[in-house]
């Protein structure tokens, strides 16, 4: 479900991560504005908020339509690795930065 909130931006909800992803792509393609990001053209929507009903990282739609290498790299920095590996075209952070996994782990006391 895609909702435009006046003077705020877009809110996107999907029952699954795959549905959410496809609705976000639709929102960006229909409402995005062209801009440059590190000298690369892209369409972007400002203030895009999103929520999924189920956060299953092995979503069937993402498996079907996603880029497996990029999905595997993202899963690694969220679930497996303690340090980031920048898989973007233009690296945006230093080597060895804490991964999302490491940042999300609760400090042991």
């Amino acid at each position: 479900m895609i909702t435009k909130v006046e003077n705020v931006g877009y809110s996107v909800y999907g029952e699954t991560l795959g549905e959410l992803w496809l609705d976000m792509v639709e929102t960006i393609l229909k409402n995005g504005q062209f801009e440059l990001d590190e000298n690369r053209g892209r369409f972007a929507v400002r203030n895009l908020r999103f929520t999924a009903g189920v956060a299953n990282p092995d979503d069937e739609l993402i498996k079907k339509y996603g880029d497996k290498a990029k999905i595997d790299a993202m899963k690694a920095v969220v679930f497996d690795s303690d340090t980031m590996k920048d898989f973007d075209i233009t690296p945006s952070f230093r080597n060895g930065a804490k991964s999302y996994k490491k940042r999300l782990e609760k400090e042991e006391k």
Side-chain angles (χ1 to χ4, degrees), residues 11-50:
S11 176
V12 180
Y13 174 81
E15 287 294 327
T16 66
L17 288 176
E19 289 176 14
L20 170 63
W21 176 47
L22 293 176
D23 283 348
M24 286 174 40
V25 170
E26 178 183 351
T27 301
I28 293 165
L29 291 175
K30 287 183 175 178
N31 305 291
Q33 295 179 328
F34 180 81
E35 58 184 45
L36 293 176
D37 176 36
E38 297 179 354
N39 295 320
R40 293 176 293 166
R42 69 172 185 178
F43 281 91
V45 172
R46 297 189 192 285
N47 300 321
L48 177 68
R49 296 168 184 184
F50 54 91

Side-chain angles (χ1 to χ4, degrees), residues 7-109:
N7 298 319
V8 175
Y10 290 89
S11 176
V12 180
Y13 174 81
E15 287 294 327
T16 66
L17 288 176
E19 289 176 14
L20 170 63
W21 176 47
L22 293 176
D23 283 348
M24 286 174 40
V25 170
E26 178 183 351
T27 301
I28 293 165
L29 291 175
K30 287 183 175 178
N31 305 291
Q33 295 179 328
F34 180 81
E35 58 184 45
L36 293 176
D37 176 36
E38 297 179 354
N39 295 320
R40 293 176 293 166
R42 69 172 185 178
F43 281 91
V45 172
R46 297 189 192 285
N47 300 321
L48 177 68
R49 296 168 184 184
F50 54 91
T51 307
V54 178
N56 176 5
D58 294 318
D59 185 272
E60 291 301 317
L61 287 172
I62 293 175
K63 280 185 185 177
K64 182 175 180 178
Y65 297 112
D67 180 320
K68 183 172 177 6
K70 289 182 179 166
I71 293 167
D72 290 345
M74 183 57 82
K75 283 181 179 179
V77 299
V78 174
F79 299 111
D80 302 327
S81 177
D82 287 343
T83 58
M84 295 290 264
K85 178 182 177 202
D86 202 333
F87 51 90
D88 197 4
I89 295 167
T90 303
S92 56
F93 50 80
R94 63 179 170 72
N95 288 335
K98 284 184 186 176
S99 68
Y100 296 115
K101 172 193 171 275
K102 197 68 175 170
R103 294 176 199 183
L104 294 171
E105 287 178 342
K106 292 183 179 180
E107 291 184 24
E108 294 183 30
K109 295 185 180 194

